């Protein structure tokens, strides 16, 4: 402590804090403040009553400053939360869609704003399916209803159509105090769950849906994570195994890591347009039984990132497999409106399950998911979604509601947005004509862009892209020369991460490496959204083509 006092005295004296005009107690306090300023790397201030020296700024000896800093370091204790002490399951979580490549894109954007010269003028973020960020216009009717719910005084305005007002009033009547700002029931607003059930019945040709089996969620992701939480149990070889497609949407691997479950990969068949083969499911299941208890099977249809749309026969085979092996089915169907290829059609797992007869529909446990974020709506920011869970044990139903009640309720504005997805204008209503025009415009535009992307990629040497049957992404396979693979290893990067980083740095195009979604050993891909406007998409694809050809030449 004597060294600290010495430093304090030296500092105080140099600032004029010592002397006959300054009381002893004040001198001590001033000295301590001066030393603390030094330790923090700040210029100490003298007494307010003293005028600054006419001889210029005070110079501090390096020894005095070093002593103060050292004393300050000793005074601070070790952090409780460190990389070593944090939850290891959280540390294991990876989410490539917003991973290192996106962080780098953000850095480049900041540099461009500062005027730093690049070979491009903007960063094009083709890494994520964020429709409105890419220029897609909102659906007018959906926004009208949410606006009316948010500010009910607008219900008196002649600017809003009566069918929008009717839906807004119904939603508000289901809210506490007739306000969107009130908490809802944990399962969601009752009238909206009724509308979801009616939508499912219409979609599935009359297959019954019970509002009590509907749970409104914060996007589909919240529902998927909640169901996984309640499914995962056991330890060692009895730990729950979760079967997921490879390539997969990284939400699944992230949730599995966070919950400490066991990821069981089954591979989609790239040579057969990313088809799902039940023989591959059986291989993955049988191998996994040696080290875990596989009891969950996740399906993404239409596929993300692969864009395949499953046939009716494929879905029947999967349901039979789940029934035979006693697996809980998770059907991620958020892209159910995004089907583009001729001959392809969306079939819900719920509908096919019921059409297979009582032995299946009364026994196979199924959770299916939908969202406001995709489809023709693209309302990602509202975080609206739902899940329908059927054949759940009654006691587990209570446990699920309890789990959901911990987060109180999903965003009520998102619930309202979800209601318009499942309860849109119908023929004869005032808003129907505009609504259907906007909806068909978005979907036909996406179909056009899917075809443009597939065709342009398949003209580039070293790139192969399967047909984009649905969803809103391309997942092309890219050839990476051995020299580039070696350089990637030298930089401690996966080869496709190296490729995507180079693409970003040289063109400003941000895509996600296939290694973030999973892929067969020795194959390389990237995921790119097809959401940019047509002309911008064409420019983007031309830039990728030019980059890829130069990349092959450089590393040949």
């Amino acid at each position: 402590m004597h060294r600290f006092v010495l430093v304090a005295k030296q500092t105080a004296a140099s600032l004029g804090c010592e002397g006959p005009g300054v009381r002893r107690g004040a001198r001590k306090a001033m000295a301590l403040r001066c030393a603390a300023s030094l330790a923090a790397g700040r210029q100490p201030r003298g007494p307010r009553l003293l005028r600054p020296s006419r001889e210029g700024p005070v110079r501090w000896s390096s020894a005095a400053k070093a002593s103060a800093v050292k004393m300050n370091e000793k005074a601070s204790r070790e952090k409780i939360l460190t990389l070593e002490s944090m939850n290891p399951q959280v540390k294991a979580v990876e989410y490539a869609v917003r991973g290192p490549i996106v962080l780098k894109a953000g850095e480049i954007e900041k540099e461009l704003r500062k005027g730093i010269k690049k070979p491009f003028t903007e960063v094009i973020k083709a890494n994520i399916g964020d429709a409105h960020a890419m220029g897609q216009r909102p659906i007018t009717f959906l926004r009208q209803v949410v606006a009316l719910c948010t500010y009910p005084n607008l219900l008196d305005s002649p600017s809003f159509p009566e069918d929008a007002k009717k839906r807004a009033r119904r939603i508000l009547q289901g809210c506490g105090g007739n306000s969107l700002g009130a908490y809802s029931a944990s399962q969601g607003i009752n009238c909206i769950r009724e509308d979801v059930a009616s939508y499912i019945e219409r979609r599935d040709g009359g297959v019954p849906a019970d509002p009590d089996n509907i749970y409104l969620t914060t996007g589909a992701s919240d529902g998927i994570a909640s169901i996984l939480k309640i499914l995962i149990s056991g330890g060692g070889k009895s730990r729950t195994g979760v079967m997921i497609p490879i390539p997969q949407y990284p939400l699944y691997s992230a949730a599995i890591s966070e919950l400490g479950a066991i990821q069981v990969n089954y591979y989609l068949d790239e040579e057969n347009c990313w088809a799902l083969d039940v023989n591959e499911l059986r291989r993955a299941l049988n191998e996994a039984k040696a080290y875990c208890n596989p009891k969950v099977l996740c399906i993404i249809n239409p596929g993300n990132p692969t864009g395949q749309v499953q046939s009716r026969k494929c879905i029947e085979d999967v349901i039979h497999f789940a029934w035979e092996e006693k697996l809980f089915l998770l059907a991620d169907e958020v892209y159910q409106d995004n089907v583009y290829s001729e001959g392809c059609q969306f079939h819900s797992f719920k509908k096919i399950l019921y059409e297979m007869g009582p032995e299946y529909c009364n026994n196979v446990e199924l959770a299916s998911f939908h969202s406001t974020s995709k489809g023709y709506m693209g309302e990602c920011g509202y975080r609206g979604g739902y899940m329908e869970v059927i054949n759940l044990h009654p006691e587990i139903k209570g446990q699920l509601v309890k789990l959901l009640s911990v987060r109180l309720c999903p965003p009520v504005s998102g619930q309202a947005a979800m209601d318009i997805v499942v309860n849109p204008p119908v023929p004869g209503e005032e808003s129907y004509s505009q609504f259907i025009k906007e909806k068909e415009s978005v979907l036909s535009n996406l179909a056009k862009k899917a075809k443009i992307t597939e065709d342009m990629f398949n003209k580039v040497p070293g790139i192969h892209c399967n047909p984009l049957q649905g969803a809103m992404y391309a997942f092309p396979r890219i050839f990476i020369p051995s020299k580039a693979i070696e350089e990637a290893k030298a930089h401690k990067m996966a080869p496709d991460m190296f490729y995507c980083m180079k693409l970003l740095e040289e063109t400003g195009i941000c895509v996600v490496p296939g290694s973030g979604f999973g892929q067969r050993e020795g194959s390389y891909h990237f995921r790119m959204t097809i959401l940019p406007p047509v002309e911008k998409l064409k420019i983007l694809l031309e830039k990728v083509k030019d980059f890829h050809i130069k990349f092959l030449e450089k590393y040949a």
Side-chain angles (χ1 to χ4, degrees):
M1 189 65 187
H2 68 283
R3 292 183 65 194
F4 183 82
V5 173
L6 177 61
V7 171
K9 285 185 175 180
Q10 289 174 348
T11 307
S14 63
L15 278 174
C17 299
E18 293 280 352
V22 183
R23 294 195 314 275
R24 185 178 179 186
R27 288 200 303 269
K28 185 175 180 182
M30 290 174 186
L32 288 171
R33 284 200 301 271
C34 292
S37 295
L38 272 176
R42 299 191 301 271
Q43 176 95 343
R45 298 177 182 176
R48 292 179 185 177
L49 296 176
L50 294 180
R51 296 181 183 276
S53 169
R54 295 174 183 267
E55 298 176 5
V58 177
R59 303 292 180 187
W60 311 107
S61 73
S62 57
K65 191 167 183 178
S67 296
V69 170
K70 193 171 182 181
M71 292 302 299
N72 189 58
E73 287 174 352
K74 284 184 178 179
S76 65
R77 67 179 188 182
E78 291 182 2
K79 297 292 184 186
I80 295 167
L81 185 60
T82 66
L83 283 174
E84 289 71 34
S85 66
M86 73 173 285
N87 184 335
Q89 290 166 198
V90 173
K91 189 158 62 171
V93 168
E94 292 184 4
Y95 189 64
V97 173
R98 296 198 175 194
I101 198 95
V102 183
L103 297 177
K104 181 66 175 177
E107 291 173 11
I108 292 173
E109 282 184 316
K110 288 179 184 177
E111 291 172 355
L112 286 170
R113 285 195 291 270
K114 289 177 182 177
I116 298 172
K117 297 296 180 184
K118 301 284 181 184
F120 46 86
T121 57
E122 66 170 331
V123 172
I124 302 175
K125 290 185 176 177
N127 61 294
I128 195 165
D130 192 350
H132 293 183
M134 285 292 186
Q136 181 177 308
R137 303 298 300 166
I139 298 297
T140 302
F141 187 77
L142 187 150
R143 288 297 182 90
Q144 286 174 330
V145 176
V146 175
L148 289 163
C149 289
T150 304
Y151 189 58
N153 288 0
L154 294 173
L155 288 164
D156 298 324
S157 169
S159 300
F160 289 80
E162 284 304 316
D163 49 359
K165 291 178 181 179
K166 179 182 175 183
R167 284 165 175 77
R169 288 190 185 100
R170 182 167 181 267
I171 291 168
L172 288 172
Q173 286 167 7
C175 296
N178 292 319
S179 172
L180 217 60
Y183 287 129
S184 77
S186 299
Q187 203 168 334
I189 296 171
N190 188 59
C191 67
I192 298 177
R193 291 191 292 116
E194 289 173 355
D195 288 345
V196 171
S198 297
Y199 162 80
I200 292 170
E201 288 185 0
R202 292 194 308 272
R203 181 197 68 187
D204 293 345
V207 172
D210 183 351
D212 200 38
N213 292 334
I214 307 296
Y215 304 80
L216 301 181
T217 57
T218 308
S221 302
D222 171 49
I224 293 165
S226 297
I227 287 292
L228 285 175
K229 269 183 193 173
I230 212 161
L231 276 163
I232 290 166
S233 64
K237 289 186 177 182
S238 66
R239 188 64 171 166
T240 299
V242 182
M243 300 180 68
I244 64 171
I246 298 295
Q248 52 108 17
Y249 176 49
L251 161 71
Y252 291 93
S253 54
I256 290 165
S257 293
E258 183 182 352
L259 297 170
I262 307 298
Q263 180 174 316
V264 179
N265 296 339
Y266 66 88
Y267 290 88
L268 302 176
D269 184 1
E270 184 172 10
E271 305 307 316
N272 191 21
C273 204
W274 299 111
L276 193 164
D277 183 357
V278 171
N279 290 325
E280 169 61 12
L281 289 180
R282 187 161 280 110
R283 176 208 61 79
L285 180 81
N286 290 336
E287 289 182 9
K289 284 178 178 177
Y291 55 85
C292 69
N293 175 26
K295 65 179 183 183
V296 187
L297 174 56
C298 301
I299 309 289
I300 308 174
N301 178 47
N304 175 12
T306 46
Q308 85 285 2
V309 178
Q310 290 176 4
S311 68
R312 180 189 181 93
K313 175 68 165 61
C314 176
I315 294 172
E316 288 175 349
D317 290 345
V318 170
I319 290 172
H320 177 75
F321 177 78
W323 172 82
E324 186 178 48
E325 299 292 346
K326 296 182 180 177
L327 298 172
F328 194 112
L329 265 176
L330 269 56
D332 183 339
E333 299 175 336
V334 301
Y335 297 99
Q336 57 190 261
D337 289 304
N338 302 104
V339 178
Y340 316 123
S341 292
E342 287 185 22
C344 289
Q345 181 183 348
F346 171 75
H347 301 280
S348 79
F349 268 74
K350 164 84 175 296
K351 180 183 180 184
I352 305 301
L353 179 64
Y354 269 75
E355 290 176 351
M356 289 174 70
E359 192 172 12
Y360 294 94
C361 70
N362 292 334
N363 291 294
V364 175
E365 293 153 276
L366 168 69
S368 50
F369 308 90
H370 196 17
S371 167
T372 62
S373 301
K374 310 303 176 185
Y376 58 89
M377 308 78 66
E379 295 282 8
C380 304
Y382 277 120
R383 307 308 300 131
Y386 75 75
M387 61 180 174
E388 181 187 26
V389 190
I390 60 173
N391 293 325
L392 205 59
H393 190 289
E395 291 179 357
I396 294 298
K397 207 170 196 176
Q399 293 295 316
L400 177 58
V401 172
K402 178 185 74 174
L403 175 64
L404 295 175
S405 70
V406 173
R407 52 90 159 122
L408 296 177
C409 69
V412 180
S413 55
Q415 295 184 50
M418 191 74 243
D419 187 68
I420 306 314
V421 175
V422 298
N423 185 25
V426 296
E429 287 190 303
E430 182 180 352
S431 300
Y432 178 75
S433 178
Q434 182 181 9
F435 167 77
I436 204 69
K437 182 180 177 182
E438 291 176 352
K439 175 182 175 180
E440 288 178 353
S441 174
V442 170
L443 293 176
S444 62
N445 211 20
L446 283 168
K448 180 181 178 182
K449 291 187 282 190
K451 187 61 178 166
I452 289 170
T453 303
E454 176 195 340
D455 290 346
M456 289 189 72
F457 272 146
N458 285 329
K459 290 175 183 175
V460 183
I463 295 182
H464 172 72
C465 185
N466 273 324
L468 279 63
Q469 296 176 339
M472 49 184 61
Y473 312 99
F475 196 67
R477 183 170 181 165
I478 52 176
F479 171 70
I480 299 181
S482 56
K483 283 185 180 178
I485 293 171
E486 289 303 314
E487 188 166 332
K489 287 179 182 176
H491 286 85
K492 296 182 179 178
M493 286 184 183
D496 50 6
M497 171 64 87
F498 176 76
Y499 177 96
C500 292
M501 197 65 80
K502 289 287 185 186
L503 176 66
L504 173 63
E505 292 169 348
E506 295 180 23
T507 69
I509 295 169
C510 179
V511 297
V512 189
S515 49
F517 300 88
Q519 56 199 352
R520 284 196 180 274
E521 188 72 28
S523 70
Y524 306 107
H525 304 77
F526 63 79
R527 190 191 79 162
M528 185 196 88
T529 183
I530 60 170
L531 287 170
V534 171
E535 293 309 311
K536 194 168 191 175
L537 179 66
K538 288 179 179 177
I539 293 168
L540 185 157
L541 292 167
E542 283 291 340
K543 285 187 173 185
V544 173
K545 181 188 83 171
D546 293 342
F547 166 81
H548 188 77
I549 290 169
K550 289 176 185 175
F551 186 87
L552 293 182
E553 289 172 353
K554 180 177 179 179
Y555 292 102

